[in-house]
Amino acid sequence: MRRPKSLGEWLVADPPESSKPPGPILLAFTVVPLIALVCRHYGWWPSPFGDFRWFDPLLVSAAALLTLIVVGLVWAVRTLYVLGQDRRWSWWILPSPVAVIAAVAAVLLMPPATFLDKSGEFETVAIALLEQPGSTVEELEIGQFEISSAHVVRPDEVYFVDNDSMFTTTSGWVYSPSGAPTGFDDFSAKHLGGPWYEFTAVWRD
């Protein structure tokens, strides 16, 4: 009759399996949401006025952030097991945090264009609207700025309404060469430079 193996024999014959380090799949789940967030930050996104308007950047950004949180937890657990329990090193520990650091550094070192950087293109539209009383421009894109509409308010104010305006709050920019814009409803404006102001208006009953 065959003698059963002792505990020592089991340990020698079948050593415990090593913990699995972070790998290429985890790296992919790190890089893809990072790319989505960087594209959103710089405005490299399908037009909200075209065929891909259903591709909501806010929902994608939220999903990307949630994915990164889960990936971070998985990376931390696997790394702790490899370093703490197995007491060994794996180069797969580095790529995910390096990708995150590289994305953050790129965003900090290369900020996106500001409104004033693009103000010349906005001014061209504003002057054209002032020359055609009663005219309106719908669904306009200038750089990363998405304008749902641009229209004239007498005598010489041109309002560019940000497409991200929501519910009872309207925000955007005003071309007002005569000074501070008159506004409407619960209105506030911040002077950006030259004839340009950034505004927020809250519609109230």
Side-chain angles (χ1 to χ4, degrees), residues 47 86 90 97 113 137 163 190:
S47 171
D86 296 350
S90 171
V137 175
N163 192 55
K190 174 185 176 183

Side-chain angles (χ1 to χ4, degrees), residues 5 7 19 24 29 41-42 49 85 97 103 110 129 138 144 148 155-156 163-165 172 175 183 193 197 201:
K5 292 181 179 179
L7 178 60
S19 301
F29 275 94
H41 182 70
Y42 286 105
F49 310 127
Q85 178 176 285
M110 296 181 291
L129 287 172
E138 303 284 343
Q144 76 269 32
S148 60
D156 59 355
N163 192 55
D164 287 338
S165 298
Y175 176 77
Y197 297 79

Side-chain angles (χ1 to χ4, degrees), residues 108-175:
L108 293 177
L109 294 175
M110 296 181 291
T114 66
F115 177 84
L116 290 179
D117 293 331
K118 297 291 183 179
S119 62
E121 296 176 58
F122 277 91
E123 188 165 359
T124 299
V125 176
I127 291 173
L129 287 172
L130 288 170
E131 292 174 349
Q132 301 177 21
S135 60
T136 300
V137 175
E138 303 284 343
E139 299 184 346
L140 174 68
E141 289 183 87
I142 298 178
Q144 76 269 32
F145 299 97
E146 298 161 351
I147 308 301
S148 60
S149 66
H151 60 277
V152 177
V153 174
R154 293 296 181 186
D156 59 355
E157 298 173 6
V158 181
Y159 286 77
F160 293 84
V161 179
D162 191 348
N163 192 55
D164 287 338
S165 298
M166 298 180 65
F167 306 113
T168 59
T169 301
T170 302
S171 59
W173 301 268
V174 190
Y175 176 77

